[in-house]
Every structure is written in structure tokens, then in C-alpha cells.
Amino acid sequence: MPLHGTEWADRYGTPTPLGATWLSEREAWNFSLVSRHAQRVELLLFREDEPGTPALIREMAFPDNKSGHFWHCRVAAAEAPGAFAYAYRVDGDNVGHDAGWNRFDPLKLLLDPYAKAVWFPPGYDREAARHAGANAGKAMLGVLPSPGGELLEPFDWQGVESPRHGADLVFYELHLRGFTAHPSSGLSRETRGTYLGLIEKIPYLRDLGVTAVELMPVFQYDSSDGNYWGYSPVGFFAPHAQYGSGASPTAHVAELKTMVRELHRAGIEVILDVVFNHTGEGGADGPTFGFRGIDNASYYLQSADREEAYFDVTGTGNTVAINDRFVRRMIVDSLLHWVGEYHIDGFRFDLAAVKARNPDGSLNLTDPPIVGDIMAAPGLQGVRMIEEPWDAAGVKQLGLNNPNRMGMQWNDEYRDCVRRFVRGDGGNTRELADRIAGSPDLFPPTLEYAKRPFQSVNIVTCHDGFTLYDLVSYSHKHNLANGEDNRDGLGENYSSNHGIEGDEGLTKEIRLLRERQARNYHAILMLSAGTPLLLAGDEGLRTQGGNNNTWNQDNELGWIDWGRLEANASHREFLKRLLALRNAFPTLVRPTYWGGDASWYGLDGPQRFFDEDRALALRLTGRDGESDLYLCLNAHSEPLPFTVQGEARRWRIALDTSGGTPEVQVPGADGPFTRSPIEVAGRSVVLLIGSSA
């Protein structure tokens, strides 16, 4: 007798949804996995107390359990009492495919790419994944959504809605573990470096004035590989379990949601740094966790050279085939999962230029399919999409070169220009005017493109490079802790030690100059059109001892020292007042470019942009009764007189970075009146607020 409807599904499963799904009305799981080239697929279920011995093995047999490229089955809970986790074994032909070659191993346990949580059993061994053969009891496993389990437990969002910031949007980039792992954080040993630990620092974030945290990767990765930053995901749906409290194997799922809820309650958006361009499986000699063993030729870009194995434009050994149709679906499903399940407000795409790669590795710079898929997904409308618009192979898609016309982009042109000017290089005031104005040359506000200044995410420092203090304290990198040679020169764009490398032998004069330069960087950042990004710890002049790449430093070098932040509380107070100043004057932050309201000057007249220029002035005319602003920038080592240009006004000093002690702070709009010309100290920034009274 033929099977119909639910009877067919009960016996053979369904191809959708992908992953492991609990069907409460059937008291069963549905499993679905995509593999174009597999010839045999097995599902294995495990109990928590016996991770090395399957509680059930179910073959997904062709033709009953295969539809197109989907392998699927259904398992009743009664068939595997106490089942907690699952994995696959996949076999097939490793040569002869037009799409490339595969790496099937019929004995290897493989993680489901759609696993919503990952469990590392006590016997987990990364090396077992690097070599051929069985690794039962040593492999990471997907956690089953089970009745009474935390993956199915409804979360109480308590009616807290996601905030949505506009002119006051300020990103604060932090590493979730490194932010609170240091003993000086004042947290208990149990909560340091965890989702719950970040909750305890929300009052600090609110006091500082940031409105969005940008979390470095929280996708699950293998901590045993030494990659502290987490840019080595093993799956795109599961949060990193090791940032949880460890109360249970899946407690971290609810703890991450709790963290997001409490940040939202405080009016702070949550942005995730997501890595879809490569995985933690690395190059040909790397471990096989899942993707490689499930369908290597589909998930990764293949090299034409069999010895190279992978087409690598990420610098990690592999590159995900982002524009493969099933990979595109997985990425969109992942984004929808994080928005729907965790209420995430936006995503920063690591090495986003990889999205321009076709499945054969060639470039589609104008309309890569994944961009359209993301833009068209109904559940992603209004979600912030932020791009690191380059890859490790030299492709750069900043501004109009980026096919994501509505997204935001990290602006490294802003970073390099501001660094050159503050260091005193000279000759770039014309470009500096564009960068301060929101980079309209890169994001043109024309009828055709209608770009907006907020699309430029202005960075001076970020996780990848020197901290702010190190930027003004070191002329070359000091990465011996990473096993790197320090003798290769600068190693960091446009840094300066201002006389002494590091802090050994530091004089008061150099210390004060460094602190002034740090104030200059933050002042220019906050007085620029565009969206500013702050690196966590820069508000307290955090140092990494000149290390510009702490990707493998899960220690005090890579953590934030809260004692140092307190010792440099004056700079934090300065930055707080800068943020308040930025928010107090809508003249600065507009939804459109300044246009004709901005006039650029030199010391005593219109700016002519000479090559030797190290000074620049901006007069910004207020709208609708708002105050005029006059910004003076002096990168010379000596003081210079600035003659205030334009319509007469009475001018108050709102900001002056030249204070002789680190306690100097932004005085606000009620500062004393000053007369033109105004003397601006060497290496200083001064902001005047105009009044017609």
C-alpha cells in the first residue's frame, strides 16, 4: 500500500528544513544534509555519557532518503532513548568530479553545518580530526534539540525590543572574552570572559556613551587551535560554547540571549563580526570537522593545482565557495537564524570582498549572487550590513566599488589619511577634508548613487593592528610573543614612537605628547561625518606592548587591563565628553552630506592645499538655528595663528586638545569667548562654537 503525506515523511524524512529539527507532534527528529557528491550517508546519535559509542546508527539510503542533493531521514525519540548529540559519516568518490575533488572518509565523524550548538566531549582531540580514520569519542558533535533541552526552551525576552540608533550611532569593537577575562575586571572567576561577564559591564558602556557593541566572532570555533580571536569558525549557526558559564553543555545559548536582551534594555545594539569567507578546517593538512568531509568540492574554492588543493584568498588555507547555490542558502539561513533566534541587530562581514568570487574562483565585481540573496531576504530588511571591503588577495571594494549599495563599509582610506596627518606627514589636507566630510569622493551623493555619509565607518584603530596608545608609542611592531621576527621594519601604517620606542625610558615630555596625540585622534574621529568605530580599551590608552596582531594571545597581552583603564581615566572622560559634544550638535551629524555648508580654510584664507600643508580649518554653518562650528587642526610641532573666516560670530572654545596635563577635558559649549586670530598649539585640535549674540 503506498505511503501518503505524513506517513511518507515519518518513514523517510523530508529535505527541509536543513539540520536537525525536533517535531514535537511526532516525538521525532527530522535530519537533512546537503551533499552533491556523497554516495553514502550515515547518521549517528550519541548519549552524553557515552560519546564514543553510538546509541543509534541510521543509514540514509538511496533512493528513499535522498531528494536531489538532500540526504534526509526521520528518527523517533523512542529509537534512541537519552540521545543528546549527533554526527554524520559520509562516503563517496574522491576523484573524477568536474567540480573538483573530494575528501571523503567513511570512518570520520562529521559536524552538521546547521548544528545550532556544538558539544566537545571530554575526549575531544583536534589531532584525531587531522588524520584519516575513526575519531569516535574525540570529535565535536552537534547537540540535538530535545524535549526539555535548552535548545528548545522558550526564551523570555521580557518585552525588550531592539534599539535603533541614528545620528548617535557609535560602534565599540570588543573581544567578548578579552573584555572581561583580566582579573582586574572585578568580576568573579566564573563570569570573567563570558557572555554573563559582559552583562556586568553594561553600566560602563552606557557611561562611556557607546550605542552599539561590535563583537568579534562568537560563532563556534575550536579553541585548541590557538586562535584566540575566533576567526576560524567550524559552523555558522552555533554560538561559541566556551564563552558560556559551563553550567551545562548548552547553557551558553540562553546566556548569549540574556546578554543581548540586557544590552538592548540599555539601548545598545549588538553587531556580530561574521566569518563566512573561510572555516577553521584550514588548508589541505588541516582538520576535517564537517564541511571538508561532507562535500569538499562544493563548500570550498578549488585550486587548479592539486598540490595546493585550495584557492586561498583569505590567508587561512581555504576559501569558502560563497556563491555556490547551497552555500548561499546556508549563509542566508545563518543570518536569519541569528536575527530571529538571538535578536542580533547587524553583521560585520570579515573579508567581504570574497563575496565577489564565483564558484570557480573568478571575480564578479558588479553583482555577485550572495549580495542579492541577502538584500532580498525578507527577514533581513533593516538589519545593519557592514563590510570589511577587501580580502587577503588584494581585491578591494570600498565605496562605489562595492556591490552592496546600501551597506556600511569599514573605511581604511579614512584610517590612513587621519594617521598620516596626525603624525605630521603633511601634504594630505585635501584628502583629509574629504575624509572629515564623510568621504563623499568614495560614497558620492549623486542622483544615480545617492550615498549617505553614515555608510563610511570611520576607523583609526581596530582589533587588527596597534591599539591607540601603541600607535603613538611604537614605530615598528613587537611580535616576538607570536613567534614573529620584529626586524621587518614598520609593520604598522603610519605609527610613531615620538622619540622613544615603547615606555622604557619614557620622559614626561614624551608622555604628554603621546596623550595629546591620542586626544587628537579621538577628536578628529568624533568630529567627522560618518559612523565612528572605537576599539575597546582605547578610551583608557590600553597597550599591547607594540604587538599589532594578538590573534593568538589569550593572555594578559590580549586582554583588557582595567587597572590601566582606571589609571588613564582622564582620557576616558575626554572621550565621554567628545561623544556628548557630537550628540549635542546636529550640525555635525546629518543624514546627508554637509555640502555648501562646509567651507575649508588655511590659516588666514581659503585653503589652497599645498603639499607642505600640516594645518586645516573647517567652518560648518548650522541649519535651522543651530550653531556654527569652526574646527582648527594643527599637525605642526609649533603653534599657529588661525584667523576665523566667514560671517562674524562670537566664538566660544568647546574643545582644545593641547592641555599640558592629562586631566584636560572638553569644557563644553559654555567655554570662554575667544578672539580671532586664535592661536592653536602645536599638534592640537581646537573646536569653536559660534554665537550671533
Side-chain angles (χ1 to χ4, degrees):
M1 182 176 180
L3 297 175
H4 298 283
T6 57
E7 294 177 330
W8 187 92
D10 283 342
R11 179 169 295 188
Y12 304 121
T14 57
T16 57
L18 281 161
T21 307
W22 173 251
L23 307 172
S24 56
E25 70 282 3
R26 316 303 292 180
E27 295 188 352
W29 293 282
N30 193 84
F31 296 90
S32 180
L33 179 76
V34 172
S35 178
R36 282 189 178 91
H37 301 109
Q39 296 174 350
R40 183 170 178 267
V41 176
E42 287 182 330
L43 167 73
L44 298 91
L45 304 188
F46 297 88
R47 297 184 181 91
E48 187 175 355
D49 58 351
E50 292 185 285
T53 304
L56 179 144
I57 301 176
R58 173 66 54 82
E59 181 176 359
M60 297 178 174
F62 172 79
D64 293 338
N65 301 105
K66 188 171 188 288
S67 302
H69 298 308
F70 295 80
W71 298 80
H72 49 84
C73 71
R74 188 161 293 180
V75 176
E79 297 180 67
F84 171 76
Y86 71 107
Y88 293 102
R89 288 195 295 230
V90 182
D91 195 12
D93 186 359
N94 284 329
V95 295
H97 296 296
D98 292 338
W101 47 83
N102 274 299
R103 298 280 294 275
F104 293 120
D105 182 342
L107 301 178
K108 187 72 66 185
L109 291 183
L110 303 172
L111 181 70
D112 180 6
Y114 274 72
K116 304 306 189 296
V118 177
W119 180 50
F120 291 74
Y124 171 74
D125 182 3
R126 178 182 175 84
E127 285 301 303
R130 291 187 61 247
H131 303 292
N135 60 340
K138 302 178 180 181
M140 60 180 76
L141 305 172
V143 178
L144 285 167
S146 303
E150 289 163 308
L151 290 187
L152 291 179
E153 187 71 24
F155 184 76
D156 184 6
W157 290 97
Q158 299 178 359
V160 176
E161 297 184 357
S162 300
R164 182 71 178 187
H165 292 279
D168 62 338
L169 180 63
V170 176
F171 294 126
Y172 184 80
E173 187 194 31
L174 64 86
H175 186 282
L176 195 135
R177 172 166 165 76
F179 193 58
T180 62
H182 199 284
S184 63
S185 66
L187 275 58
S188 68
R189 187 179 299 274
E190 292 72 28
T191 56
R192 292 177 202 160
T194 67
Y195 301 117
L196 297 181
L198 182 56
I199 294 175
E200 296 190 44
K201 292 297 184 181
I202 289 177
Y204 174 87
L205 297 173
R206 289 196 64 183
D207 179 67
L208 184 59
V210 298
T211 52
V213 293
E214 185 174 301
L215 302 177
M216 291 172 66
V218 297
F219 286 3
Q220 183 67 64
Y221 64 94
D222 178 15
S223 300
S224 69
D225 73 347
N227 190 330
Y228 159 62
W229 279 354
Y231 288 93
S232 51
V234 299
F236 302 145
F237 294 79
H240 191 58
Q242 286 69 32
Y243 294 156
S245 66
S248 73
T250 54
H252 63 287
V253 172
E255 290 169 0
L256 174 54
K257 293 177 183 178
T258 302
M259 183 198 78
V260 173
R261 183 188 67 198
E262 297 311 305
L263 284 165
H264 283 173
R265 194 192 304 276
I268 299 173
E269 296 183 32
V270 181
I271 311 297
L272 297 188
D273 189 339
V274 291
V275 183
F276 293 119
N277 60 83
H278 68 276
T279 78
E281 292 186 316
D285 60 347
T288 296
F289 293 135
F291 303 103
R292 174 179 287 146
I294 292 169
D295 197 352
N296 186 62
S298 294
Y299 279 113
Y300 296 114
L301 296 184
Q302 307 291 304
S303 171
D305 183 353
R306 183 72 184 255
E307 295 300 317
E308 294 292 333
Y310 295 110
F311 185 76
D312 180 14
V313 296
T314 66
T316 66
N318 67 59
T319 303
V320 170
I322 286 181
N323 284 296
D324 175 275
R325 67 174 66 182
F326 290 115
V327 176
R328 293 193 337 250
R329 172 176 177 171
M330 178 179 64
I331 290 173
V332 172
D333 285 348
S334 169
L335 297 174
L336 290 169
H337 172 70
W338 289 99
V339 171
E341 192 70 20
Y342 291 91
H343 293 197
I344 297 302
D345 303 292
F347 303 93
R348 179 265 193 190
F349 292 85
D350 177 67
L351 298 182
V354 173
K355 291 191 288 188
R357 296 285 176 177
N358 294 315
D360 63 358
S362 62
L363 286 166
N364 179 347
L365 297 174
T366 56
D367 191 22
I370 184 60
V371 174
D373 288 358
I374 292 172
M375 292 179 66
L380 298 178
Q381 303 305 303
V383 175
R384 296 193 191 278
M385 300 294 175
I386 308 155
E387 303 210 340
E388 182 185 41
W390 51 80
D391 64 18
V395 175
K396 185 173 177 178
Q397 295 184 292
L398 179 63
L400 280 185
N401 293 325
N402 199 296
N404 185 358
R405 302 300 185 197
M406 298 295 291
M408 306 171 77
Q409 301 171 38
W410 276 29
N411 190 343
D412 64 327
E413 299 289 339
Y414 179 96
R415 176 197 65 199
D416 292 350
C417 178
V418 171
R419 285 184 175 190
R420 290 197 306 271
F421 178 80
V422 172
R423 191 172 71 167
D425 289 10
N428 72 334
T429 51
R430 181 184 297 275
E431 182 187 0
L432 183 65
D434 278 333
R435 299 297 157 256
I436 291 175
S439 296
D441 58 326
L442 300 175
F443 302 88
T446 60
L447 177 62
E448 180 180 3
Y449 298 109
K451 293 292 187 180
R452 303 277 187 159
F454 72 83
Q455 290 182 266
S456 173
V457 177
N458 299 333
I459 56 175
V460 170
T461 56
C462 64
H463 72 275
D464 195 1
F466 279 155
T467 65
L468 182 66
Y469 182 77
D470 290 356
L471 184 65
V472 299
S473 303
Y474 293 89
S475 291
H476 60 86
K477 66 181 183 180
H478 294 256
N479 292 6
L480 286 176
N482 298 17
E484 300 177 25
D485 193 337
N486 290 331
R487 295 173 297 176
D488 60 350
L490 292 179
E492 181 72 10
N493 290 339
Y494 314 113
S495 64
S496 174
N497 63 21
H498 295 95
I500 295 176
E501 189 74 0
D503 285 347
E504 186 174 350
L506 182 64
T507 65
K508 180 180 179 180
E509 181 182 19
I510 294 176
R511 176 177 60 83
L512 292 177
L513 176 56
R514 289 177 178 178
E515 291 170 353
R516 181 186 299 192
Q517 290 288 67
R519 292 195 292 271
N520 290 336
Y521 277 122
H522 273 161
I524 294 173
L525 180 64
M526 290 303 158
L527 297 176
S528 296
T531 305
L533 179 140
L534 297 167
L535 174 63
D538 275 355
E539 70 274 15
L541 304 182
R542 174 177 174 259
T543 181
Q544 293 176 167
N547 190 311
N548 75 334
N549 186 21
T550 57
W551 69 276
N552 59 348
Q553 298 299 316
D554 187 8
N555 51 47
E556 293 193 5
L557 184 65
W559 303 339
I560 287 181
D561 181 347
W562 289 81
R564 183 177 177 90
L565 266 57
E566 286 306 310
N568 292 290
S570 59
H571 188 84
R572 183 176 74 245
E573 185 65 25
F574 174 84
L575 181 57
K576 282 173 54 179
R577 294 191 176 214
L578 268 177
L579 286 166
L581 184 68
R582 177 182 174 88
N583 291 335
F585 291 95
T587 295
L588 277 171
V589 187
R590 305 176 183 178
T592 56
Y593 287 96
W594 295 335
D597 291 334
S599 300
W600 299 95
Y601 300 101
L603 297 178
D604 55 5
Q607 177 61 274
R608 288 174 288 176
F609 300 110
F610 293 118
D611 288 344
E612 66 273 15
D613 283 347
R614 291 179 177 82
L616 182 66
L618 162 67
R619 179 165 181 154
L620 187 57
T621 303
R623 292 180 179 178
D624 302 324
E626 297 172 10
S627 299
D628 290 357
L629 302 176
Y630 204 94
L631 178 64
C632 304
L633 307 169
N634 180 12
H636 285 270
S637 59
E638 301 299 325
L640 294 174
F642 282 73
T643 300
V644 178
Q645 304 292 315
E647 184 180 351
R649 285 283 189 271
R650 298 185 72 194
W651 296 98
R652 293 181 184 272
I653 299 176
L655 178 149
D656 186 346
T657 64
S658 68
T661 68
E663 286 76 28
V664 169
Q665 301 168 359
V666 181
D670 57 349
F673 286 110
T674 187
R675 293 181 178 181
S676 176
I678 178 174
E679 183 175 274
V680 176
R683 291 174 170 166
S684 295
V685 175
V686 169
L687 179 69
L688 307 176
I689 298 175
S691 171
S692 58

